[in-house]
Amino acid sequence: MRKTTLSDIAKYVNVSKTTVSMVLNNKNINVSDETRKKILEASKELKYIPNSVARSLSTNKSYTIGFIVPDIENPFFSEMAKAIETESEKCGYSMILCNTLNRGEREYEYIKLLISRLVDGVVIVPSGESNEALELLSANDVPFVVADRKVESNEKYNGVFCDNNKGIRLGVEYLMNKKVGNIAFVGGLIQGVDTRLGYFEEISLELNILDKDLIEEEEFSMGGGIRATERIMNKNKDLKAIFYSSDIMAIGGMKYLIRNGYKIPKDINILGYDNIGFSSFIEPELTTVAQPIYKMGEEAFKLLLKSINNEHSPVETIILEPYLVDRETVK
Amino acid sequence: MRKTTLSDIAKYVNVSKTTVSMVLNNKNINVSDETRKKILEASKELKYIPNSVARSLSTNKSYTIGFIVPDIENPFFSEMAKAIETESEKCGYSMILCNTLNRGEREYEYIKLLISRLVDGVVIVPSGESNEALELLSANDVPFVVADRKVESNEKYNGVFCDNNKGIRLGVEYLMNKKVGNIAFVGGLIQGVDTRLGYFEEISLELNILDKDLIEEEEFSMGGGIRATERIMNKNKDLKAIFYSSDIMAIGGMKYLIRNGYKIPKDINILGYDNIGFSSFIEPELTTVAQPIYKMGEEAFKLLLKSINNEHSPVETIILEPYLVDRETVK
């Protein structure tokens, strides 16, 4: 079988190819309603797919956006993807998802792909390896919004972030108020200017509770949470709380602790970050610093749409507020 | 800023646009190595992106595939996506992910989008609402592979599936051997010819243990698992086991049971299906019928690549074997 063409429809309805093209592209043309109807029906029947690439070369719109994420297996990002998708669908946009596995060169390749495929815009959670991908988007004049992770020269780009400084402060103060004693921190292996680990160090220094020996860095995954927790526990410090910079790390860490005979929160308090759906399904349920994940996706799409619809719209940065969700892992 | 064009590079290097085009498209042309080098450097410096759409219209290759999934928030699908992505990357392909939210009309729209954007092929987990999307792919002569969920007239299409009949039989027999007593079953809300619910009914009838009152259907999500479990438990049957047709439903169900004071597996045995990563992170760890998720993604990509590279390759169906993973939720 081969792809249905305008000629096939023209033959089927017995009109000229130009008439078919004019009707399908909603151009003004002097044609009876009956013929118009026949052409539309025939295009459906013959399963005609407009070559929207060719079309978008002339109309300059594809009604498609790309969403570039570091790791789609992390529920934080799949939840955000759902948000962007739901919001974009409301406005007649489709969303294409690309997974960079946190690697700069994949990010760059996907952006080349998306640009050459003529998406109208891109929401990107940067891998953090470099700004090259963002520069590529800029250089090609593709509207885009940076989400979740700040980058250097952040003010140059549209961005939607959650206030990490405030979130970490919320978490530390919450643990301090509970008088838990020594707090360990597990940061994510990520480069950038706005890391939760950086804020934790800053705030603990300020509060005079910083012990660098109790800080670990690992990848944002359950496996990363397990490895970091094992290293921390092997130091045999008098430890009363671990603050993880993501829920999936905390879930991994809890697994390690439970398997090694610790009771949570009796023996050790656990605090997560993100508030992904799974955090209330594990036992005990995870106390965590929540990010408004859906909101972040929604705002990112809205900002992108603004930028798509008006190329002169000023660069905007939206900062959302984190909040504490008190469940069962801090006593 | 605007997109860099061939003319920009031509001006920059001071050669004709045709020379630039020939060099960048690797055409044979009588040009000095020095000029060639200058052109390539300029294209990099000016961040030129070849219009690969136009290019693929002539070469007929985009080295991009689409992966269409019903729900990217279900780790089963994000794990499969990772597999397809890893395998396709090895062969120089990029993967674009589209999420249908289990809705036929979205599926159809995405396929239209992917075809018009000229992907080389598509792996699809059908929403099950209809075969329209598959017919659209066929009619447009786009190579594709159906994964995970069989459809009607399955034999017409390339497919990679796990043996659901065998998987459900494995699970039922495992529970019977443990002499657990009455078994409830939670099926997914899904249409199709190869449902786990269908096989459960068939096998229980055969074994003379079918009690239709103990069968529930719900959406494949943690929330669906909670709702189905609540309905089942409210029937006050003498129930010793629940077999869920997906791990995320089982995780939801366990949550409901634990919150209502049941001990697992002492009071009730739980068996899942899929073996997603999370199943060994929850407490107690989930006993489940495993599907070789990575393998399924890998085989789907390999089959797609075969079909992309040889349009006359015969239609193939690959059936993978499920196996039981014995953890802690069945005593």
Side-chain angles (χ1 to χ4, degrees):
Chain A
M1 241 182 299
R2 56 176 193 78
K3 202 169 142 100
T4 302
T5 63
L6 289 180
S7 308
D8 298 329
I9 300 171
K11 255 185 231 161
Y12 194 86
V13 187
N14 203 14
V15 296
S16 76
K17 200 175 133 186
T18 313
T19 307
V20 174
S21 165
M22 299 289 263
V23 167
L24 293 183
N25 287 300
N26 286 315
K27 295 273 164 67
N28 265 326
I29 180 181
N30 190 11
V31 64
S32 70
D33 282 355
E34 198 194 347
T35 306
R36 188 181 297 275
K37 205 177 142 208
K38 269 190 196 162
I39 291 171
L40 292 173
E41 279 171 4
S43 78
K44 220 173 164 182
E45 201 160 315
L46 300 174
K47 296 191 188 298
Y48 171 72
I49 295 175
N51 190 335
S52 63
V53 174
R55 208 178 46 184
S56 64
L57 282 168
S58 61
T59 67
N60 229 357
K61 276 276 192 185
S62 65
Y63 291 98
T64 305
I65 62 165
F67 180 38
I68 299 179
V69 290
D71 179 14
I72 194 62
E73 282 191 90
N74 184 342
F76 175 78
F77 295 117
S78 57
E79 289 176 26
M80 198 192 290
K82 175 89 128 247
I84 295 178
E85 191 151 41
T86 306
E87 294 304 313
S88 57
E89 194 185 17
K90 287 181 198 161
C91 301
Y93 276 78
S94 300
M95 186 192 82
I96 276 172
L97 202 57
C98 303
N99 195 20
T100 63
L101 309 174
N102 258 312
R103 289 194 343 243
E105 90 273 12
R106 279 178 66 93
E107 190 172 80
Y108 197 82
E109 284 306 313
Y110 272 121
I111 285 175
K112 283 211 302 199
L113 179 75
L114 289 177
I115 295 176
S116 66
R117 301 271 138 191
L118 309 172
V119 294
D120 292 346
V122 171
V123 176
I124 178 168
V125 179
S127 68
E129 284 196 355
S130 83
N131 268 11
E132 246 187 300
L134 304 182
E135 284 159 18
L136 188 65
L137 284 164
S138 279
N140 282 278
D141 213 9
V142 176
F144 69 97
V145 172
V146 178
D148 181 44
R149 298 181 181 172
K150 283 189 182 167
V151 293
E152 266 183 75
S153 318
N154 208 62
E155 63 291 348
K156 291 199 310 200
Y157 311 117
N158 282 315
V160 178
F161 311 99
C162 194
D163 189 335
N164 278 330
N165 186 355
K166 185 159 180 186
I168 294 296
R169 193 171 290 271
L170 256 177
V172 172
E173 285 173 356
Y174 174 79
L175 291 172
M176 298 283 285
N177 284 338
K178 297 272 184 175
K179 304 198 190 318
V180 295
N182 285 338
I183 303 169
F185 188 84
V186 180
L189 272 178
I190 184 184
Q191 290 152 32
V193 291
D194 179 51
T195 64
R196 295 175 198 151
L197 177 57
Y199 291 126
F200 180 80
E201 290 186 330
E202 203 178 296
I203 295 162
S204 349
L205 202 61
E206 199 183 298
L207 297 174
N208 223 348
I209 56 165
L210 180 62
D211 178 352
K212 287 230 176 198
D213 223 27
L214 289 179
I215 291 179
E216 287 288 340
E217 281 181 274
E218 260 295 349
E219 63 169 39
F220 282 117
S221 70
M222 293 187 288
I226 290 180
R227 291 189 294 276
T229 308
E230 185 173 14
R231 291 202 296 273
I232 287 173
M233 299 315 284
N234 283 342
K235 288 175 188 162
N236 277 318
K237 294 261 182 172
D238 177 30
L239 191 61
K240 285 291 176 277
I242 308 179
F243 187 2
Y244 294 84
S245 61
S246 82
D247 285 350
I248 49 167
M249 288 170 123
I251 291 171
M254 281 172 66
K255 189 76 203 177
Y256 175 85
L257 293 167
I258 291 170
R259 290 288 131 166
N260 284 279
Y262 293 91
K263 297 267 177 273
I264 300 169
K266 195 174 142 273
D267 301 330
I268 190 155
N269 296 283
I270 299 295
L271 182 60
Y273 203 106
D274 282 346
N275 197 30
I276 59 173
F278 269 106
S279 63
S280 63
F281 278 86
I282 53 164
E283 288 286 336
E285 296 183 7
L286 184 62
T287 298
T288 191
V289 177
Q291 302 199 75
I293 306 180
Y294 192 96
K295 190 84 187 152
M296 214 186 297
E298 185 181 358
E299 293 296 333
F301 176 71
K302 281 186 183 161
L303 189 50
L304 181 61
L305 196 61
K306 213 193 260 187
S307 171
I308 288 173
N309 289 332
N310 175 10
E311 55 177 312
H312 303 297
S313 62
V315 170
E316 240 178 280
T317 301
I318 296 172
I319 308 282
L320 301 173
E321 296 284 299
Y323 54 95
L324 209 121
V325 178
D326 194 347
R327 295 199 185 96
E328 302 172 341
T329 55
V330 178
K331 70 170 173 239
Chain B
M1 240 183 297
R2 55 176 194 75
K3 202 168 141 101
T4 302
T5 63
L6 289 180
S7 308
D8 298 329
I9 299 171
K11 256 185 231 160
Y12 195 86
V13 187
N14 203 14
V15 296
S16 77
K17 200 175 135 189
T18 313
T19 307
V20 174
S21 166
M22 299 289 262
V23 166
L24 292 183
N25 288 299
N26 285 315
K27 296 274 164 64
N28 265 326
I29 180 180
N30 190 10
V31 64
S32 70
D33 282 354
E34 198 195 346
T35 306
R36 188 182 298 275
K37 206 177 143 208
K38 271 190 195 161
I39 292 172
L40 292 174
E41 279 171 4
S43 78
K44 221 172 162 183
E45 201 160 315
L46 300 174
K47 294 190 188 299
Y48 172 71
I49 294 174
N51 190 333
S52 64
V53 174
R55 206 176 47 184
S56 64
L57 282 167
S58 61
T59 67
N60 230 358
K61 277 275 193 187
S62 65
Y63 291 98
T64 306
I65 63 165
F67 180 39
I68 298 179
V69 289
D71 179 14
I72 194 61
E73 283 192 88
N74 184 342
F76 175 77
F77 295 117
S78 56
E79 289 175 26
M80 198 192 291
K82 175 88 128 249
I84 295 177
E85 192 151 41
T86 307
E87 293 305 312
S88 57
E89 195 184 18
K90 286 182 198 161
C91 301
Y93 275 79
S94 300
M95 186 191 82
I96 275 171
L97 202 58
C98 304
N99 194 20
T100 64
L101 309 174
N102 257 313
R103 291 195 340 245
E105 89 273 12
R106 279 177 67 92
E107 190 172 80
Y108 197 82
E109 285 306 314
Y110 271 121
I111 285 176
K112 283 210 302 198
L113 177 76
L114 289 178
I115 294 175
S116 65
R117 301 271 138 191
L118 310 172
V119 293
D120 292 345
V122 170
V123 175
I124 178 169
V125 179
S127 67
E129 282 196 356
S130 84
N131 268 12
E132 247 186 300
L134 304 183
E135 283 159 19
L136 187 65
L137 284 164
S138 279
N140 283 278
D141 214 8
V142 176
F144 68 97
V145 172
V146 179
D148 181 44
R149 298 181 181 172
K150 283 189 182 167
V151 293
E152 265 182 76
S153 319
N154 209 62
E155 63 290 348
K156 290 199 310 199
Y157 311 117
N158 283 315
V160 179
F161 310 100
C162 194
D163 189 336
N164 278 331
N165 185 355
K166 186 160 179 188
I168 294 297
R169 194 171 289 272
L170 255 178
V172 172
E173 285 174 356
Y174 174 79
L175 290 173
M176 298 282 286
N177 283 340
K178 297 271 183 175
K179 302 196 190 321
V180 294
N182 285 339
I183 303 170
F185 188 84
V186 179
L189 272 178
I190 183 183
Q191 289 152 33
V193 293
D194 179 51
T195 65
R196 294 174 198 152
L197 178 57
Y199 291 126
F200 180 80
E201 290 187 330
E202 203 179 297
I203 294 161
S204 351
L205 202 63
E206 200 183 298
L207 296 174
N208 223 348
I209 55 164
L210 180 62
D211 178 352
K212 288 233 177 197
D213 224 26
L214 289 179
I215 291 179
E216 287 289 340
E217 280 180 274
E218 259 296 349
E219 62 169 40
F220 282 116
S221 69
M222 292 187 288
I226 290 180
R227 292 189 293 275
T229 308
E230 184 172 15
R231 292 202 296 273
I232 287 172
M233 299 315 285
N234 283 342
K235 287 174 186 160
N236 278 319
K237 295 261 182 172
D238 177 29
L239 191 60
K240 287 290 176 276
I242 308 179
F243 186 2
Y244 294 85
S245 61
S246 81
D247 285 350
I248 50 167
M249 289 170 120
I251 291 171
M254 282 171 66
K255 189 78 204 175
Y256 175 85
L257 294 166
I258 291 170
R259 290 288 131 167
N260 284 278
Y262 293 91
K263 296 266 177 274
I264 299 169
K266 196 174 142 272
D267 301 331
I268 191 156
N269 295 283
I270 299 294
L271 183 59
Y273 203 105
D274 283 345
N275 197 31
I276 59 173
F278 269 106
S279 63
S280 63
F281 278 86
I282 53 165
E283 289 286 335
E285 296 183 8
L286 184 63
T287 299
T288 192
V289 177
Q291 302 200 75
I293 307 178
Y294 193 95
K295 188 86 186 151
M296 214 186 297
E298 184 180 359
E299 293 295 333
F301 176 72
K302 281 187 183 161
L303 189 52
L304 180 62
L305 196 60
K306 214 193 260 185
S307 171
I308 288 172
N309 289 333
N310 174 11
E311 56 177 312
H312 303 296
S313 62
V315 169
E316 239 178 280
T317 301
I318 295 170
I319 307 282
L320 302 173
E321 297 282 301
Y323 54 95
L324 209 121
V325 178
D326 194 348
R327 294 198 184 96
E328 301 172 341
T329 56
V330 177
K331 70 169 175 240

